[in-house]
Amino acid sequence: MTTAKPSFWNPAEATRPEGDARLRAPSAQRNRDAILAVLRDVLPANGLVLEIASGSGEHALHFAQALPSLTFQPSDPSPDARASIAAWSAESGLANILPPIEIDASGDAWPALAPAAILCINMIHIAPWKATEGLFRHAGALLAGGAPLCLYGPFRRPGRELEPGNLAFDESLRSRNPGWGLRDLGAVTALAQVSGFGAPDIVEMPANNLSVIFRKR
């Protein structure tokens, strides 16, 4: 019996061929279709979708190709990531993916946007907790009532032991940075509620990940 490869974002996996700005993340190839299937049921028919921590840009590209009535705004605090996003976007020729912008989830100010939805894939466990606080604070300020904030990644769940793969990943993250690690879904939900969101819809995903969808009250 073979064990499925995890589909969480692991920065150490990302590769870039010499002379090519485009980063390639194997996890994005593995999980993009499963995430897209959830987003088809969650995202509005049209409007602006802001992605926080877009990483290589492969998710934004895939979603923009599949959902042409939506406009995608990728963002990332990393110059290398923004260069990768721009390169993927330029190659695609898609008109519904905008140039990447710099957003630090934990920063005091975000650009004055009016997104119909916000995506955040595989960020909150590879960032300090203040990034999760900033994500919900700013999302709560930007989103209109009923609009979704969609998270994806591995989580700790109340009353459940971590799966072996997620436990090993959590230990690896914490060894690299004590402020990183899989987040407790109860703590994330409590933070969401004080930021103006309702209880989440939770979708079980491959490789022991979750899609967690919060909607602005």
Side-chain angles (χ1 to χ4, degrees), residues 16-215:
R16 175 190 284 127
E18 186 175 355
D20 188 343
R22 294 171 299 171
L23 288 164
R24 290 163 172 81
S27 62
Q29 297 292 320
R30 294 193 293 267
N31 63 31
R32 64 185 188 177
D33 288 320
I35 298 172
L36 175 61
V38 173
L39 295 181
R40 287 187 186 279
D41 292 332
V42 171
L43 295 180
N46 49 57
L48 180 70
V49 179
L50 172 62
E51 185 183 23
I52 300 301
S54 298
S56 67
E58 292 166 285
H59 281 128
L61 176 69
H62 190 63
F63 303 155
Q65 288 173 327
L67 303 169
S69 65
L70 291 165
T71 298
F72 287 83
Q73 175 60 78
S75 73
D76 204 278
S78 164
D80 285 347
R82 295 196 302 275
S84 176
I85 298 163
W88 281 114
S89 178
E91 183 195 49
S92 75
L94 293 171
N96 66 325
I97 182 168
L98 302 176
I101 57 177
E102 181 178 0
I103 293 181
D104 178 352
S106 62
D108 291 334
W110 283 16
L113 301 171
I118 295 177
L119 308 180
C120 187
I121 297 170
N122 283 329
M123 181 201 82
I124 67 172
H125 54 281
I126 311 183
W129 180 244
K130 67 179 182 180
T132 304
E133 293 175 328
L135 172 66
F136 279 99
R137 182 175 69 254
H138 292 295
L142 292 179
L143 291 174
L149 168 59
C150 306
L151 307 185
Y152 169 87
F155 290 84
R156 292 180 175 273
R157 302 179 73 175
R160 296 195 187 189
E161 292 185 1
L162 276 179
E163 304 81 4
N166 279 347
L167 178 60
F169 183 48
D170 182 61
E171 291 172 349
S172 172
L173 290 174
R174 294 179 189 277
S175 71
R176 289 156 55 193
N177 187 319
W180 294 1
L182 274 61
R183 303 303 180 189
D184 181 87
L185 186 56
V188 173
T189 298
L191 177 61
Q193 290 175 339
V194 300
S195 302
F197 291 88
D201 293 322
I202 299 170
V203 182
E204 301 278 353
M205 303 293 284
N208 298 313
N209 288 283
L210 300 176
S211 284
V212 184
I213 298 96
F214 295 93
R215 290 190 179 273

